[in-house]
Amino acid sequence: MAADCDRDRAFMEQAARVAQEGVQSGRGGPFGALIIHQEKVVAAACNRVIEKSDPTAHAEIEAIREACRKLGRFHLKGCVLYTTCEPCPMCQAAIHWARLEKVYYSRTRADAEALGFADARIAENMQAAASAIEMERIDCAAAQEAFELWRNRENRVDY
């Protein structure tokens, strides 16, 4: 089924707004994520790598941590992730461990690579570990705007 549902687009737009806020506040790169459970947002997070001085503080990881805390469990069965960029290998591993049902993403690893992020190169090295979780891209102009905010940020801290 194509991801053209108004609900899915609305969730992706919300994830993109979280990403934009993260870039504008200087927390980290142009990445935002939402975790949905029973049609409700249980977690929303932006990339906080710079803010936390933590290379694992990706938006997806931050959202997984928040959702698990709020739901009071270590797994996210029955939950869906919306993220502004195709997950990096680290985040893919966390997605598997969290047992998320599905992931929707907007920008690709190649888009992240074009901004200086190493996602595509790392992913190529780990291609053998193909994902068993269904993934579907939703092209989202607001997610692209988050990438542009990052690209044009004068005091951007590259990592």
Side-chain angles (χ1 to χ4, degrees), residues 86-123:
E86 185 177 5
C88 74
M90 177 185 68
C91 291
Q92 269 196 338
I95 289 163
H96 282 278
W97 279 107
R99 300 182 188 112
L100 284 155
E101 285 188 7
K102 187 168 184 177
V103 174
Y104 290 98
Y105 66 94
S106 181
R107 310 322 305 157
T108 66
R109 286 186 186 130
D111 294 329
E113 185 87 13
L115 292 177
F117 295 95
D119 298 34
R121 284 179 276 138
I122 294 168

PDB file of all heavy atoms in Angstrom, residues 86-123:
ATOM      1  N   GLU A  86      16.162   8.158   6.155  1.00  0.00           N
ATOM      2  CA  GLU A  86      16.358   6.709   6.197  1.00  0.00           C
ATOM      3  C   GLU A  86      17.327   6.398   7.337  1.00  0.00           C
ATOM      4  O   GLU A  86      18.407   6.971   7.410  1.00  0.00           O
ATOM      5  CB  GLU A  86      16.933   6.271   4.855  1.00  0.00           C
ATOM      6  CG  GLU A  86      17.086   4.809   4.663  1.00  0.00           C
ATOM      7  CD  GLU A  86      17.604   4.466   3.274  1.00  0.00           C
ATOM      8  OE1 GLU A  86      17.934   5.387   2.474  1.00  0.00           O
ATOM      9  OE2 GLU A  86      17.687   3.267   2.986  1.00  0.00           O
ATOM     10  N   PRO A  87      16.961   5.506   8.235  1.00  0.00           N
ATOM     11  CA  PRO A  87      17.789   5.254   9.414  1.00  0.00           C
ATOM     12  C   PRO A  87      19.190   4.739   9.073  1.00  0.00           C
ATOM     13  O   PRO A  87      19.370   3.909   8.192  1.00  0.00           O
ATOM     14  CB  PRO A  87      17.006   4.200  10.193  1.00  0.00           C
ATOM     15  CG  PRO A  87      15.590   4.402   9.760  1.00  0.00           C
ATOM     16  CD  PRO A  87      15.689   4.789   8.308  1.00  0.00           C
ATOM     17  N   CYS A  88      20.161   5.243   9.836  1.00  0.00           N
ATOM     18  CA  CYS A  88      21.535   4.766   9.719  1.00  0.00           C
ATOM     19  C   CYS A  88      21.598   3.346  10.297  1.00  0.00           C
ATOM     20  O   CYS A  88      20.652   2.897  10.947  1.00  0.00           O
ATOM     21  CB  CYS A  88      22.486   5.698  10.469  1.00  0.00           C
ATOM     22  SG  CYS A  88      22.398   5.540  12.271  1.00  0.00           S
ATOM     23  N   PRO A  89      22.690   2.648  10.084  1.00  0.00           N
ATOM     24  CA  PRO A  89      22.803   1.283  10.617  1.00  0.00           C
ATOM     25  C   PRO A  89      22.621   1.189  12.135  1.00  0.00           C
ATOM     26  O   PRO A  89      21.993   0.244  12.621  1.00  0.00           O
ATOM     27  CB  PRO A  89      24.206   0.858  10.184  1.00  0.00           C
ATOM     28  CG  PRO A  89      24.440   1.624   8.930  1.00  0.00           C
ATOM     29  CD  PRO A  89      23.810   2.970   9.191  1.00  0.00           C
ATOM     30  N   MET A  90      23.137   2.154  12.885  1.00  0.00           N
ATOM     31  CA  MET A  90      22.961   2.118  14.337  1.00  0.00           C
ATOM     32  C   MET A  90      21.479   2.202  14.689  1.00  0.00           C
ATOM     33  O   MET A  90      20.976   1.435  15.518  1.00  0.00           O
ATOM     34  CB  MET A  90      23.725   3.271  15.008  1.00  0.00           C
ATOM     35  CG  MET A  90      23.515   3.334  16.510  1.00  0.00           C
ATOM     36  SD  MET A  90      24.289   4.767  17.292  1.00  0.00           S
ATOM     37  CE  MET A  90      23.307   6.117  16.635  1.00  0.00           C
ATOM     38  N   CYS A  91      20.785   3.129  14.047  1.00  0.00           N
ATOM     39  CA  CYS A  91      19.364   3.296  14.324  1.00  0.00           C
ATOM     40  C   CYS A  91      18.567   2.089  13.839  1.00  0.00           C
ATOM     41  O   CYS A  91      17.608   1.678  14.497  1.00  0.00           O
ATOM     42  CB  CYS A  91      18.853   4.590  13.700  1.00  0.00           C
ATOM     43  SG  CYS A  91      19.522   6.060  14.519  1.00  0.00           S
ATOM     44  N   GLN A  92      18.971   1.525  12.705  1.00  0.00           N
ATOM     45  CA  GLN A  92      18.302   0.311  12.229  1.00  0.00           C
ATOM     46  C   GLN A  92      18.423  -0.798  13.260  1.00  0.00           C
ATOM     47  O   GLN A  92      17.457  -1.517  13.516  1.00  0.00           O
ATOM     48  CB  GLN A  92      18.890  -0.149  10.900  1.00  0.00           C
ATOM     49  CG  GLN A  92      18.176   0.423   9.725  1.00  0.00           C
ATOM     50  CD  GLN A  92      18.518  -0.333   8.453  1.00  0.00           C
ATOM     51  OE1 GLN A  92      19.542  -1.008   8.344  1.00  0.00           O
ATOM     52  NE2 GLN A  92      17.656  -0.215   7.485  1.00  0.00           N
ATOM     53  N   ALA A  93      19.580  -0.942  13.846  1.00  0.00           N
ATOM     54  CA  ALA A  93      19.759  -1.971  14.870  1.00  0.00           C
ATOM     55  C   ALA A  93      18.843  -1.691  16.065  1.00  0.00           C
ATOM     56  O   ALA A  93      18.187  -2.606  16.583  1.00  0.00           O
ATOM     57  CB  ALA A  93      21.221  -2.036  15.312  1.00  0.00           C
ATOM     58  N   ALA A  94      18.770  -0.434  16.493  1.00  0.00           N
ATOM     59  CA  ALA A  94      17.894  -0.077  17.615  1.00  0.00           C
ATOM     60  C   ALA A  94      16.427  -0.335  17.262  1.00  0.00           C
ATOM     61  O   ALA A  94      15.651  -0.793  18.108  1.00  0.00           O
ATOM     62  CB  ALA A  94      18.106   1.387  18.004  1.00  0.00           C
ATOM     63  N   ILE A  95      16.056  -0.064  16.017  1.00  0.00           N
ATOM     64  CA  ILE A  95      14.692  -0.316  15.551  1.00  0.00           C
ATOM     65  C   ILE A  95      14.371  -1.809  15.657  1.00  0.00           C
ATOM     66  O   ILE A  95      13.289  -2.193  16.100  1.00  0.00           O
ATOM     67  CB  ILE A  95      14.517   0.209  14.109  1.00  0.00           C
ATOM     68  CG1 ILE A  95      14.505   1.743  14.115  1.00  0.00           C
ATOM     69  CG2 ILE A  95      13.270  -0.371  13.447  1.00  0.00           C
ATOM     70  CD1 ILE A  95      14.742   2.383  12.765  1.00  0.00           C
ATOM     71  N   HIS A  96      15.321  -2.635  15.265  1.00  0.00           N
ATOM     72  CA  HIS A  96      15.134  -4.091  15.392  1.00  0.00           C
ATOM     73  C   HIS A  96      14.996  -4.495  16.853  1.00  0.00           C
ATOM     74  O   HIS A  96      14.089  -5.256  17.198  1.00  0.00           O
ATOM     75  CB  HIS A  96      16.300  -4.850  14.745  1.00  0.00           C
ATOM     76  CG  HIS A  96      16.205  -4.912  13.264  1.00  0.00           C
ATOM     77  ND1 HIS A  96      15.433  -5.825  12.603  1.00  0.00           N
ATOM     78  CD2 HIS A  96      16.787  -4.147  12.312  1.00  0.00           C
ATOM     79  CE1 HIS A  96      15.548  -5.642  11.299  1.00  0.00           C
ATOM     80  NE2 HIS A  96      16.361  -4.618  11.101  1.00  0.00           N
ATOM     81  N   TRP A  97      15.900  -3.998  17.698  1.00  0.00           N
ATOM     82  CA  TRP A  97      15.841  -4.343  19.119  1.00  0.00           C
ATOM     83  C   TRP A  97      14.531  -3.864  19.742  1.00  0.00           C
ATOM     84  O   TRP A  97      13.974  -4.541  20.616  1.00  0.00           O
ATOM     85  CB  TRP A  97      17.016  -3.737  19.873  1.00  0.00           C
ATOM     86  CG  TRP A  97      18.273  -4.536  19.728  1.00  0.00           C
ATOM     87  CD1 TRP A  97      19.373  -4.202  18.979  1.00  0.00           C
ATOM     88  CD2 TRP A  97      18.577  -5.793  20.331  1.00  0.00           C
ATOM     89  NE1 TRP A  97      20.334  -5.177  19.085  1.00  0.00           N
ATOM     90  CE2 TRP A  97      19.868  -6.179  19.911  1.00  0.00           C
ATOM     91  CE3 TRP A  97      17.878  -6.643  21.189  1.00  0.00           C
ATOM     92  CZ2 TRP A  97      20.477  -7.356  20.320  1.00  0.00           C
ATOM     93  CZ3 TRP A  97      18.487  -7.821  21.600  1.00  0.00           C
ATOM     94  CH2 TRP A  97      19.770  -8.167  21.156  1.00  0.00           C
ATOM     95  N   ALA A  98      14.036  -2.715  19.329  1.00  0.00           N
ATOM     96  CA  ALA A  98      12.792  -2.167  19.878  1.00  0.00           C
ATOM     97  C   ALA A  98      11.554  -2.888  19.336  1.00  0.00           C
ATOM     98  O   ALA A  98      10.470  -2.740  19.889  1.00  0.00           O
ATOM     99  CB  ALA A  98      12.702  -0.671  19.567  1.00  0.00           C
ATOM    100  N   ARG A  99      11.735  -3.622  18.245  1.00  0.00           N
ATOM    101  CA  ARG A  99      10.646  -4.396  17.629  1.00  0.00           C
ATOM    102  C   ARG A  99       9.535  -3.508  17.069  1.00  0.00           C
ATOM    103  O   ARG A  99       8.352  -3.842  17.173  1.00  0.00           O
ATOM    104  CB  ARG A  99      10.094  -5.422  18.615  1.00  0.00           C
ATOM    105  CG  ARG A  99      11.146  -6.408  19.070  1.00  0.00           C
ATOM    106  CD  ARG A  99      10.557  -7.447  20.022  1.00  0.00           C
ATOM    107  NE  ARG A  99      11.629  -8.245  20.585  1.00  0.00           N
ATOM    108  CZ  ARG A  99      11.999  -8.210  21.855  1.00  0.00           C
ATOM    109  NH1 ARG A  99      11.388  -7.422  22.701  1.00  0.00           N
ATOM    110  NH2 ARG A  99      12.974  -8.972  22.288  1.00  0.00           N
ATOM    111  N   LEU A 100       9.936  -2.382  16.506  1.00  0.00           N
ATOM    112  CA  LEU A 100       8.961  -1.515  15.837  1.00  0.00           C
ATOM    113  C   LEU A 100       8.358  -2.259  14.644  1.00  0.00           C
ATOM    114  O   LEU A 100       9.048  -3.041  13.985  1.00  0.00           O
ATOM    115  CB  LEU A 100       9.635  -0.220  15.371  1.00  0.00           C
ATOM    116  CG  LEU A 100       9.913   0.771  16.494  1.00  0.00           C
ATOM    117  CD1 LEU A 100      11.060   1.685  16.146  1.00  0.00           C
ATOM    118  CD2 LEU A 100       8.660   1.561  16.811  1.00  0.00           C
ATOM    119  N   GLU A 101       7.097  -1.988  14.361  1.00  0.00           N
ATOM    120  CA  GLU A 101       6.418  -2.704  13.277  1.00  0.00           C
ATOM    121  C   GLU A 101       6.763  -2.180  11.890  1.00  0.00           C
ATOM    122  O   GLU A 101       6.847  -2.948  10.938  1.00  0.00           O
ATOM    123  CB  GLU A 101       4.902  -2.648  13.475  1.00  0.00           C
ATOM    124  CG  GLU A 101       4.450  -3.563  14.573  1.00  0.00           C
ATOM    125  CD  GLU A 101       2.940  -3.667  14.664  1.00  0.00           C
ATOM    126  OE1 GLU A 101       2.223  -3.138  13.789  1.00  0.00           O
ATOM    127  OE2 GLU A 101       2.485  -4.280  15.632  1.00  0.00           O
ATOM    128  N   LYS A 102       6.900  -0.867  11.790  1.00  0.00           N
ATOM    129  CA  LYS A 102       7.145  -0.269  10.475  1.00  0.00           C
ATOM    130  C   LYS A 102       7.860   1.055  10.656  1.00  0.00           C
ATOM    131  O   LYS A 102       7.715   1.712  11.682  1.00  0.00           O
ATOM    132  CB  LYS A 102       5.825  -0.054   9.725  1.00  0.00           C
ATOM    133  CG  LYS A 102       6.015   0.413   8.293  1.00  0.00           C
ATOM    134  CD  LYS A 102       4.731   0.349   7.496  1.00  0.00           C
ATOM    135  CE  LYS A 102       5.006   0.740   6.044  1.00  0.00           C
ATOM    136  NZ  LYS A 102       3.812   0.615   5.218  1.00  0.00           N
ATOM    137  N   VAL A 103       8.620   1.433   9.637  1.00  0.00           N
ATOM    138  CA  VAL A 103       9.329   2.706   9.626  1.00  0.00           C
ATOM    139  C   VAL A 103       8.968   3.448   8.335  1.00  0.00           C
ATOM    140  O   VAL A 103       9.051   2.880   7.245  1.00  0.00           O
ATOM    141  CB  VAL A 103      10.863   2.494   9.662  1.00  0.00           C
ATOM    142  CG1 VAL A 103      11.597   3.823   9.512  1.00  0.00           C
ATOM    143  CG2 VAL A 103      11.269   1.774  10.943  1.00  0.00           C
ATOM    144  N   TYR A 104       8.564   4.696   8.485  1.00  0.00           N
ATOM    145  CA  TYR A 104       8.381   5.589   7.342  1.00  0.00           C
ATOM    146  C   TYR A 104       9.521   6.604   7.405  1.00  0.00           C
ATOM    147  O   TYR A 104       9.850   7.098   8.480  1.00  0.00           O
ATOM    148  CB  TYR A 104       7.056   6.358   7.432  1.00  0.00           C
ATOM    149  CG  TYR A 104       5.831   5.508   7.238  1.00  0.00           C
ATOM    150  CD1 TYR A 104       5.115   5.036   8.330  1.00  0.00           C
ATOM    151  CD2 TYR A 104       5.370   5.202   5.959  1.00  0.00           C
ATOM    152  CE1 TYR A 104       3.971   4.268   8.152  1.00  0.00           C
ATOM    153  CE2 TYR A 104       4.228   4.433   5.781  1.00  0.00           C
ATOM    154  CZ  TYR A 104       3.536   3.980   6.885  1.00  0.00           C
ATOM    155  OH  TYR A 104       2.409   3.221   6.707  1.00  0.00           O
ATOM    156  N   TYR A 105      10.121   6.923   6.261  1.00  0.00           N
ATOM    157  CA  TYR A 105      11.199   7.916   6.231  1.00  0.00           C
ATOM    158  C   TYR A 105      11.014   8.813   5.026  1.00  0.00           C
ATOM    159  O   TYR A 105      10.328   8.461   4.075  1.00  0.00           O
ATOM    160  CB  TYR A 105      12.571   7.243   6.223  1.00  0.00           C
ATOM    161  CG  TYR A 105      12.885   6.439   4.986  1.00  0.00           C
ATOM    162  CD1 TYR A 105      13.591   7.016   3.930  1.00  0.00           C
ATOM    163  CD2 TYR A 105      12.473   5.115   4.866  1.00  0.00           C
ATOM    164  CE1 TYR A 105      13.875   6.291   2.785  1.00  0.00           C
ATOM    165  CE2 TYR A 105      12.752   4.387   3.729  1.00  0.00           C
ATOM    166  CZ  TYR A 105      13.454   4.970   2.693  1.00  0.00           C
ATOM    167  OH  TYR A 105      13.732   4.253   1.560  1.00  0.00           O
ATOM    168  N   SER A 106      11.651   9.988   5.055  1.00  0.00           N
ATOM    169  CA  SER A 106      11.513  10.956   3.968  1.00  0.00           C
ATOM    170  C   SER A 106      12.787  11.089   3.138  1.00  0.00           C
ATOM    171  O   SER A 106      12.799  10.784   1.968  1.00  0.00           O
ATOM    172  CB  SER A 106      11.106  12.329   4.516  1.00  0.00           C
ATOM    173  OG  SER A 106      10.965  13.250   3.453  1.00  0.00           O
ATOM    174  N   ARG A 107      13.868  11.562   3.728  1.00  0.00           N
ATOM    175  CA  ARG A 107      15.115  11.745   2.979  1.00  0.00           C
ATOM    176  C   ARG A 107      15.900  10.433   2.985  1.00  0.00           C
ATOM    177  O   ARG A 107      15.704   9.584   3.849  1.00  0.00           O
ATOM    178  CB  ARG A 107      15.973  12.865   3.585  1.00  0.00           C
ATOM    179  CG  ARG A 107      15.276  14.200   3.856  1.00  0.00           C
ATOM    180  CD  ARG A 107      14.255  14.686   2.862  1.00  0.00           C
ATOM    181  NE  ARG A 107      14.748  14.770   1.512  1.00  0.00           N
ATOM    182  CZ  ARG A 107      13.953  14.743   0.434  1.00  0.00           C
ATOM    183  NH1 ARG A 107      12.660  14.592   0.558  1.00  0.00           N
ATOM    184  NH2 ARG A 107      14.474  14.844  -0.750  1.00  0.00           N
ATOM    185  N   THR A 108      16.793  10.269   2.032  1.00  0.00           N
ATOM    186  CA  THR A 108      17.562   9.028   1.902  1.00  0.00           C
ATOM    187  C   THR A 108      18.942   9.160   2.539  1.00  0.00           C
ATOM    188  O   THR A 108      19.402  10.265   2.849  1.00  0.00           O
ATOM    189  CB  THR A 108      17.754   8.662   0.420  1.00  0.00           C
ATOM    190  OG1 THR A 108      18.590   9.663  -0.183  1.00  0.00           O
ATOM    191  CG2 THR A 108      16.417   8.568  -0.311  1.00  0.00           C
ATOM    192  N   ARG A 109      19.614   8.028   2.669  1.00  0.00           N
ATOM    193  CA  ARG A 109      20.996   8.046   3.165  1.00  0.00           C
ATOM    194  C   ARG A 109      21.875   8.876   2.242  1.00  0.00           C
ATOM    195  O   ARG A 109      22.793   9.551   2.698  1.00  0.00           O
ATOM    196  CB  ARG A 109      21.549   6.628   3.249  1.00  0.00           C
ATOM    197  CG  ARG A 109      20.990   5.835   4.381  1.00  0.00           C
ATOM    198  CD  ARG A 109      21.702   4.492   4.463  1.00  0.00           C
ATOM    199  NE  ARG A 109      21.055   3.682   5.470  1.00  0.00           N
ATOM    200  CZ  ARG A 109      20.664   2.441   5.278  1.00  0.00           C
ATOM    201  NH1 ARG A 109      20.866   1.845   4.122  1.00  0.00           N
ATOM    202  NH2 ARG A 109      20.090   1.773   6.239  1.00  0.00           N
ATOM    203  N   ALA A 110      21.605   8.812   0.949  1.00  0.00           N
ATOM    204  CA  ALA A 110      22.381   9.604  -0.012  1.00  0.00           C
ATOM    205  C   ALA A 110      22.183  11.097   0.244  1.00  0.00           C
ATOM    206  O   ALA A 110      23.127  11.881   0.118  1.00  0.00           O
ATOM    207  CB  ALA A 110      21.994   9.246  -1.445  1.00  0.00           C
ATOM    208  N   ASP A 111      20.963  11.495   0.615  1.00  0.00           N
ATOM    209  CA  ASP A 111      20.713  12.903   0.959  1.00  0.00           C
ATOM    210  C   ASP A 111      21.554  13.301   2.170  1.00  0.00           C
ATOM    211  O   ASP A 111      22.126  14.391   2.206  1.00  0.00           O
ATOM    212  CB  ASP A 111      19.228  13.129   1.280  1.00  0.00           C
ATOM    213  CG  ASP A 111      18.314  12.930   0.080  1.00  0.00           C
ATOM    214  OD1 ASP A 111      18.737  13.191  -1.063  1.00  0.00           O
ATOM    215  OD2 ASP A 111      17.158  12.506   0.303  1.00  0.00           O
ATOM    216  N   ALA A 112      21.620  12.429   3.176  1.00  0.00           N
ATOM    217  CA  ALA A 112      22.426  12.704   4.372  1.00  0.00           C
ATOM    218  C   ALA A 112      23.906  12.751   4.013  1.00  0.00           C
ATOM    219  O   ALA A 112      24.648  13.605   4.498  1.00  0.00           O
ATOM    220  CB  ALA A 112      22.157  11.648   5.451  1.00  0.00           C
ATOM    221  N   GLU A 113      24.340  11.832   3.159  1.00  0.00           N
ATOM    222  CA  GLU A 113      25.742  11.789   2.717  1.00  0.00           C
ATOM    223  C   GLU A 113      26.122  13.116   2.038  1.00  0.00           C
ATOM    224  O   GLU A 113      27.217  13.630   2.236  1.00  0.00           O
ATOM    225  CB  GLU A 113      25.950  10.618   1.764  1.00  0.00           C
ATOM    226  CG  GLU A 113      27.377  10.417   1.337  1.00  0.00           C
ATOM    227  CD  GLU A 113      28.177   9.531   2.293  1.00  0.00           C
ATOM    228  OE1 GLU A 113      27.602   8.862   3.152  1.00  0.00           O
ATOM    229  OE2 GLU A 113      29.415   9.536   2.155  1.00  0.00           O
ATOM    230  N   ALA A 114      25.188  13.667   1.265  1.00  0.00           N
ATOM    231  CA  ALA A 114      25.449  14.930   0.558  1.00  0.00           C
ATOM    232  C   ALA A 114      25.676  16.088   1.523  1.00  0.00           C
ATOM    233  O   ALA A 114      26.287  17.094   1.152  1.00  0.00           O
ATOM    234  CB  ALA A 114      24.291  15.251  -0.388  1.00  0.00           C
ATOM    235  N   LEU A 115      25.202  15.947   2.768  1.00  0.00           N
ATOM    236  CA  LEU A 115      25.416  16.973   3.793  1.00  0.00           C
ATOM    237  C   LEU A 115      26.637  16.680   4.661  1.00  0.00           C
ATOM    238  O   LEU A 115      26.927  17.402   5.604  1.00  0.00           O
ATOM    239  CB  LEU A 115      24.185  17.077   4.703  1.00  0.00           C
ATOM    240  CG  LEU A 115      22.913  17.618   4.068  1.00  0.00           C
ATOM    241  CD1 LEU A 115      21.772  17.585   5.079  1.00  0.00           C
ATOM    242  CD2 LEU A 115      23.109  19.031   3.542  1.00  0.00           C
ATOM    243  N   GLY A 116      27.329  15.573   4.361  1.00  0.00           N
ATOM    244  CA  GLY A 116      28.533  15.250   5.106  1.00  0.00           C
ATOM    245  C   GLY A 116      28.359  14.169   6.152  1.00  0.00           C
ATOM    246  O   GLY A 116      29.306  13.860   6.877  1.00  0.00           O
ATOM    247  N   PHE A 117      27.174  13.598   6.280  1.00  0.00           N
ATOM    248  CA  PHE A 117      26.958  12.507   7.223  1.00  0.00           C
ATOM    249  C   PHE A 117      27.412  11.205   6.581  1.00  0.00           C
ATOM    250  O   PHE A 117      27.280  11.016   5.384  1.00  0.00           O
ATOM    251  CB  PHE A 117      25.481  12.432   7.638  1.00  0.00           C
ATOM    252  CG  PHE A 117      25.035  13.642   8.404  1.00  0.00           C
ATOM    253  CD1 PHE A 117      24.419  14.703   7.750  1.00  0.00           C
ATOM    254  CD2 PHE A 117      25.253  13.741   9.763  1.00  0.00           C
ATOM    255  CE1 PHE A 117      24.021  15.836   8.441  1.00  0.00           C
ATOM    256  CE2 PHE A 117      24.853  14.874  10.466  1.00  0.00           C
ATOM    257  CZ  PHE A 117      24.242  15.918   9.804  1.00  0.00           C
ATOM    258  N   ALA A 118      27.954  10.289   7.362  1.00  0.00           N
ATOM    259  CA  ALA A 118      28.574   9.060   6.838  1.00  0.00           C
ATOM    260  C   ALA A 118      27.602   7.895   6.693  1.00  0.00           C
ATOM    261  O   ALA A 118      28.025   6.773   6.457  1.00  0.00           O
ATOM    262  CB  ALA A 118      29.735   8.645   7.748  1.00  0.00           C
ATOM    263  N   ASP A 119      26.319   8.136   6.793  1.00  0.00           N
ATOM    264  CA  ASP A 119      25.328   7.062   6.797  1.00  0.00           C
ATOM    265  C   ASP A 119      25.464   6.104   5.618  1.00  0.00           C
ATOM    266  O   ASP A 119      25.453   4.883   5.798  1.00  0.00           O
ATOM    267  CB  ASP A 119      23.905   7.636   6.780  1.00  0.00           C
ATOM    268  CG  ASP A 119      23.605   8.483   7.996  1.00  0.00           C
ATOM    269  OD1 ASP A 119      24.523   9.163   8.491  1.00  0.00           O
ATOM    270  OD2 ASP A 119      22.456   8.473   8.441  1.00  0.00           O
ATOM    271  N   ALA A 120      25.585   6.621   4.412  1.00  0.00           N
ATOM    272  CA  ALA A 120      25.615   5.762   3.222  1.00  0.00           C
ATOM    273  C   ALA A 120      26.842   4.853   3.228  1.00  0.00           C
ATOM    274  O   ALA A 120      26.734   3.658   2.931  1.00  0.00           O
ATOM    275  CB  ALA A 120      25.562   6.603   1.950  1.00  0.00           C
ATOM    276  N   ARG A 121      27.984   5.415   3.591  1.00  0.00           N
ATOM    277  CA  ARG A 121      29.215   4.594   3.619  1.00  0.00           C
ATOM    278  C   ARG A 121      29.133   3.502   4.675  1.00  0.00           C
ATOM    279  O   ARG A 121      29.535   2.367   4.441  1.00  0.00           O
ATOM    280  CB  ARG A 121      30.444   5.474   3.835  1.00  0.00           C
ATOM    281  CG  ARG A 121      30.831   6.237   2.574  1.00  0.00           C
ATOM    282  CD  ARG A 121      32.028   7.127   2.814  1.00  0.00           C
ATOM    283  NE  ARG A 121      31.490   8.357   3.396  1.00  0.00           N
ATOM    284  CZ  ARG A 121      32.029   9.017   4.404  1.00  0.00           C
ATOM    285  NH1 ARG A 121      33.144   8.617   4.941  1.00  0.00           N
ATOM    286  NH2 ARG A 121      31.483  10.103   4.882  1.00  0.00           N
ATOM    287  N   ILE A 122      28.625   3.851   5.831  1.00  0.00           N
ATOM    288  CA  ILE A 122      28.480   2.852   6.895  1.00  0.00           C
ATOM    289  C   ILE A 122      27.489   1.780   6.447  1.00  0.00           C
ATOM    290  O   ILE A 122      27.724   0.585   6.625  1.00  0.00           O
ATOM    291  CB  ILE A 122      28.034   3.516   8.216  1.00  0.00           C
ATOM    292  CG1 ILE A 122      29.125   4.436   8.741  1.00  0.00           C
ATOM    293  CG2 ILE A 122      27.669   2.455   9.253  1.00  0.00           C
ATOM    294  CD1 ILE A 122      28.685   5.356   9.872  1.00  0.00           C
ATOM    295  N   ALA A 123      26.399   2.201   5.858  1.00  0.00           N
ATOM    296  CA  ALA A 123      25.368   1.261   5.410  1.00  0.00           C
ATOM    297  C   ALA A 123      25.900   0.300   4.358  1.00  0.00           C
ATOM    298  O   ALA A 123      25.568  -0.892   4.372  1.00  0.00           O
ATOM    299  CB  ALA A 123      24.166   2.022   4.865  1.00  0.00           C
TER     300      ALA A 123
END
